[in-house]
Amino acid sequence: MELNRRTVIAGAAAAGIAATALGGVAEASTSGGKKPTKKVFGTLADGTEVHLWSLANGGTRLKVLDYGGIVQSLEIPDRRGRYANVSLGFDNIEDYVAKSPYFGALIGRFGNRIGKGQFTLDGKAYQVDVNDGANSLHGGSKGFDKHVWSVEPFAKGSDVGLHLRYTSADGEMGYPGTLKVKVTYTLTRHGDWRIDYEATTDKATVVNLTNHVYWNLAGESSGTIYDHELEIDAARYTPVDSGLIPTGELARVAGTPFDFRRAKTVGEDIRVAHQQLLYGQGLDHNWVLDKGITSRPAPVATLRDPSSGRTLTVSTTEPGLQFYSGNFLDGTLVGSGGTVYRQGDGMCLETQHFPDSPNKPNFPSTVLRPGQTYRSTTVHSFDC
């Protein structure tokens, strides 16, 4: 009988086995109670200390920076109970500041792209920071990923986690309204990593928050993710122009490289001669999730690494999923495991509203008004 993650962890607990190093077996403790701990990770140029928060629960180990809310490491066991870090990142703050392609970061004020950095809201035109060719990407050149967040650790019942808070001033990166943001990272007793986003504003604005973990379920230094098997519950996606801005069309995936309704390897169609793949130099598109917006997170995607048996299931309240296949990793970055990251060595599954939504009236709205609370939840569940 092949062991799954739950039986691996339960067996380790029964035997009284505790992991002591990377590559060890699952921890004996599978329930919560231990408050997260912190240590200094590095110092910014202005003298601000950056801290690394460590938390563990249900067999999952998570390390988070208060700089950008960055997931610096996420370790889970394989089918034999051997741990590996399955998220790409760095081992120093200097690289996160100077070089990071959003490794593991909280993204805002607006995740993904806004065409030409322009939109009109209530009859007023806004110009936000342009940092991706002619467009704005992930909130601009100093988005939420480049700020130090306040962190409050907690241990409540069988859960442990972090409350992260940041206040974005009116006019920051060109966005209207003072936006107060709270993001909660929770590790449950089952080892699920849950993200709850909340935000309020004092002026009408647009908001689209997400997280930018680069996944490699075989381990962050193991090579490409092209043999990972992926399934996405979406019959449509949003085609883009040469600047990766959606055209507004909700196109069917049937008969295209974008059809992941049945599990297939990431690399199966990635080199097909399709104009959309040429624009993105691979897969870098938004899938229109069949379920739409939901009040509770529902499963939308499953990613599996056959070699290790590790499986990730993504559940969300959001209507969209940006699947990015690591196309722009170009061999210039050295990861936390000491290896060079190249194209396809990690992939992102960013739950979100659609890119350029402020300029596409047929897309779900990203407008937030005073008196309203932005809420979004995404859960990452692991198995083996």
Side-chain angles (χ1 to χ4, degrees), residues 98-133:
K99 303 177 180 180
S100 182
Y102 306 99
F103 283 151
L106 285 175
I107 301 298
R109 192 177 288 200
F110 197 94
N112 220 301
R113 294 173 174 86
I114 295 179
K116 299 181 180 179
Q118 299 174 352
F119 62 90
T120 300
L121 180 58
D122 295 338
K124 183 176 180 178
Y126 291 93
Q127 176 68 61
V128 297
D129 187 63
V130 170
N131 63 325
D132 182 52

Side-chain angles (χ1 to χ4, degrees), residues 101-321:
Y102 306 99
F103 283 151
L106 285 175
I107 301 298
R109 192 177 288 200
F110 197 94
N112 220 301
R113 294 173 174 86
I114 295 179
K116 299 181 180 179
Q118 299 174 352
F119 62 90
T120 300
L121 180 58
D122 295 338
K124 183 176 180 178
Y126 291 93
Q127 176 68 61
V128 297
D129 187 63
V130 170
N131 63 325
D132 182 52
N135 305 313
S136 183
L137 175 65
H138 294 332
S141 57
K142 194 173 182 182
F144 289 0
D145 60 295
K146 295 179 178 65
H147 291 274
V148 175
W149 293 57
S150 66
V151 178
E152 176 189 354
F154 68 88
K156 183 178 181 181
S158 60
D159 294 339
V160 298
L162 305 170
H163 297 303
L164 300 100
R165 291 180 173 86
Y166 176 70
T167 297
S168 176
D170 182 20
E172 184 175 281
M173 293 287 102
Y175 287 91
T178 299
L179 191 76
K180 295 183 177 181
V181 183
K182 176 184 176 183
V183 179
T184 301
Y185 288 168
T186 303
L187 284 186
T188 73
R189 65 186 180 91
H190 297 301
D192 296 343
W193 172 41
R194 177 181 174 121
I195 311 176
D196 291 288
Y197 305 87
E198 296 180 19
T200 59
T201 184
D202 61 358
K203 292 181 183 178
T205 191
V206 293
V207 184
N208 192 22
L209 306 181
T210 190
N211 185 279
H212 211 287
V213 165
Y214 284 67
W215 300 101
N216 188 322
L217 297 183
E220 63 82 31
S221 59
S222 63
T224 78
I225 43 77
Y226 293 153
D227 62 348
H228 282 35
E229 298 165 353
L230 177 64
E231 182 176 352
I232 303 175
D233 294 335
R236 296 178 183 271
Y237 77 107
T238 52
V240 296
D241 62 19
S242 59
L244 301 183
I245 300 298
T247 63
E249 180 187 5
L250 305 180
R252 294 190 178 277
V253 300
T256 77
F258 300 90
D259 193 350
F260 285 88
R261 291 174 295 174
R262 293 185 178 180
K264 67 179 181 181
T265 62
V266 171
E268 181 173 330
D269 295 321
I270 205 165
R271 302 194 187 282
V272 170
H274 190 287
Q275 184 60 61
Q276 287 296 305
L277 296 182
L278 295 175
Y279 283 151
Q281 297 183 34
L283 295 157
D284 190 8
H285 294 75
N286 170 70
W287 270 252
V288 180
L289 300 174
D290 291 342
K291 72 171 188 64
I293 300 172
T294 49
S295 59
R296 295 183 179 182
V300 296
T302 301
L303 181 68
R304 181 176 182 271
D305 169 42
S307 64
S308 67
R310 294 186 185 97
T311 299
L312 164 66
T313 299
V314 178
S315 302
T316 189
T317 57
E318 289 294 289
L321 182 76

Side-chain angles (χ1 to χ4, degrees), residues 17-138:
I17 299 171
T20 58
L22 185 65
V25 297
E27 296 174 346
S29 175
T30 62
S31 59
K34 291 188 177 179
K35 208 169 187 178
T37 60
K38 73 172 180 178
K39 66 178 182 180
V40 175
F41 183 75
T43 305
L44 300 179
D46 64 2
T48 302
E49 285 189 340
V50 173
H51 296 97
L52 178 71
W53 290 86
S54 298
L55 52 160
N57 203 10
T60 298
R61 305 166 179 167
L62 181 64
K63 293 183 179 180
V64 176
L65 301 180
D66 51 17
Y67 178 81
I70 288 169
V71 172
Q72 191 269 337
S73 173
L74 196 158
E75 298 177 9
I76 57 174
D78 66 8
R79 61 167 65 92
R80 296 181 181 178
R82 298 174 300 187
Y83 272 86
N85 173 22
V86 297
S87 65
L88 273 56
F90 299 118
D91 62 3
N92 65 89
I93 190 59
E94 291 78 15
D95 282 351
Y96 278 112
V97 172
K99 303 177 180 180
S100 182
Y102 306 99
F103 283 151
L106 285 175
I107 301 298
R109 192 177 288 200
F110 197 94
N112 220 301
R113 294 173 174 86
I114 295 179
K116 299 181 180 179
Q118 299 174 352
F119 62 90
T120 300
L121 180 58
D122 295 338
K124 183 176 180 178
Y126 291 93
Q127 176 68 61
V128 297
D129 187 63
V130 170
N131 63 325
D132 182 52
N135 305 313
S136 183
L137 175 65
H138 294 332

